[in-house]
Amino acid sequence: LAKTTQPISMDSYEGQEVNITCSHNNIATNDYITWYQQFPSQGPRFIIQGYKTKVTNEVASLFIPADRKSSTLSLPRVSLSDTAVYYCPVSQGANNLFFGTGTRLTVIP
Amino acid sequence: NAGVTQTPKFQVLKTGQSMTLQCAQDMNHEYMSWYRQDPGMGLRLIHYSVGAGITDQGEVPNGYNVSRSTTEDFPLRLLSAAPSQTSVYFCASSTGTDTQYFGPGTRLTVL
C-alpha cells in the first residue's frame, strides 16, 4: 500500500519561508499529489494539488520532481496563523486517502 | 451551500450503547468517507462509499456500520460502543479528483 513519510514537526519564525517535504515512493501513476492543512478541532482543509513540476496558488507553492516520489510544500512568509498540521495523503484507491501523522508546523513570533 | 455537515458536535456514551453519527453534503458528490482521528495521530479511514447504495470497508471498520441510501447522506453507526472508539470522527466528500471536503467533526467519548 502507498504510504507517506514527513517530518514530525518543524518550527519557523514569522516572515520566513517554510518548506515541508513529503516522501511518497509508491504513488500511483495516475494520482495527483494533494496537501491539506488542519487546525486544532477542525477537519483538514485542501491547500494545493499538483501532478508534476510546480504549482502555485494564493497560499502556497508545490514542487514535484520528475520521478514524483516526493513533493515539497512551500509556504511563503509564514504568520502565526499558519501554525497547523500539514498532510500529504496518498490515494489507497477509490479516492480514499492514507493520511499518516503529518507535519506539525509551529510559527514563532 | 453548507458543504459537509456533521451532527452531533459532541457526544458522550456509556460502554455498550449504540448511536448514529450523521453526515450530509449538499455538493452532489458521489464519494463520501468516514475517518477517525485519535489524539496526536493522523486520520484513519473507517468506511467509504463511491455512490448511493455502494459502501466498502476502510482501514479500521470493526465496530462500525454504514449505509448510503441517498447521495447526500452517509451515517455512521456504532453498534456497541467501546472506550477504544473514543476519538474525533470526520466525514468527507469528493467528486473523485482527490480533493476531499471535510466536515467539522464529531468528538465522541465512550466511558
Side-chain angles (χ1 to χ4, degrees):
Chain A
L1 293 178
K3 302 290 185 183
T4 61
T5 302
Q6 301 176 238
I8 293 175
S9 64
M10 296 179 68
D11 294 338
S12 176
Y13 288 101
E14 274 191 294
Q16 289 188 327
E17 178 184 74
V18 171
N19 296 310
I20 306 174
T21 297
C22 176
S23 171
H24 31 74
N25 290 321
N26 297 322
I27 189 169
T29 302
N30 295 332
D31 284 344
Y32 280 76
I33 296 164
T34 308
W35 283 76
Y36 291 80
Q37 175 190 56
Q38 186 180 28
F39 296 114
S41 302
Q42 295 186 24
R45 183 180 72 167
F46 169 86
I47 301 175
I48 196 167
Q49 183 183 73
Y51 186 77
K52 61 180 178 181
T53 64
K54 177 183 175 183
V55 178
T56 298
N57 63 20
E58 63 276 10
V59 298
S61 294
L62 179 61
F63 299 90
I64 303 169
D67 65 8
R68 298 186 358 103
K69 293 183 182 297
S70 66
S71 61
T72 299
L73 174 72
S74 180
L75 304 172
R77 299 179 299 281
V78 294
S79 63
L80 296 177
S81 63
D82 292 316
T83 293
V85 179
Y86 293 83
Y87 297 95
C88 58
V90 292
S91 175
Q92 300 290 287
N95 199 48
N96 293 299
L97 305 176
F98 173 81
F99 271 80
T101 55
T103 297
R104 184 175 300 276
L105 172 65
T106 302
V107 180
I108 305 166
Chain B
N1 192 329
V4 179
T5 58
Q6 292 184 237
T7 57
K9 291 186 178 180
F10 302 94
Q11 182 70 49
V12 179
L13 294 177
K14 295 181 179 179
T15 297
Q17 287 185 314
S18 63
M19 78 159 294
T20 299
L21 280 64
Q22 302 292 343
C23 174
Q25 52 92 8
D26 60 0
M27 298 175 282
N28 201 32
H29 287 168
E30 289 297 318
Y31 292 86
M32 296 186 75
S33 310
W34 275 103
Y35 295 85
R36 62 175 286 175
Q37 185 173 36
D38 299 327
M41 304 292 288
L43 286 78
R44 291 185 293 169
L45 182 65
I46 305 172
H47 284 285
Y48 64 95
S49 169
V50 300
I54 305 169
T55 64
D56 208 343
Q57 296 180 351
E59 180 185 357
V60 287
N62 292 340
Y64 307 94
N65 273 356
V66 291
S67 60
R68 184 94 179 272
S69 56
T70 67
T71 298
E72 294 78 20
D73 300 298
F74 190 43
L76 177 72
R77 282 181 285 277
L78 278 71
L79 309 174
S80 177
S84 61
Q85 294 178 305
T86 293
S87 190
V88 181
Y89 292 83
F90 291 102
C91 178
S93 73
S94 71
T95 61
T97 59
D98 287 336
T99 303
Q100 297 206 2
Y101 297 85
F102 286 83
T106 294
R107 186 175 298 273
L108 175 69
T109 301
V110 182
L111 302 176

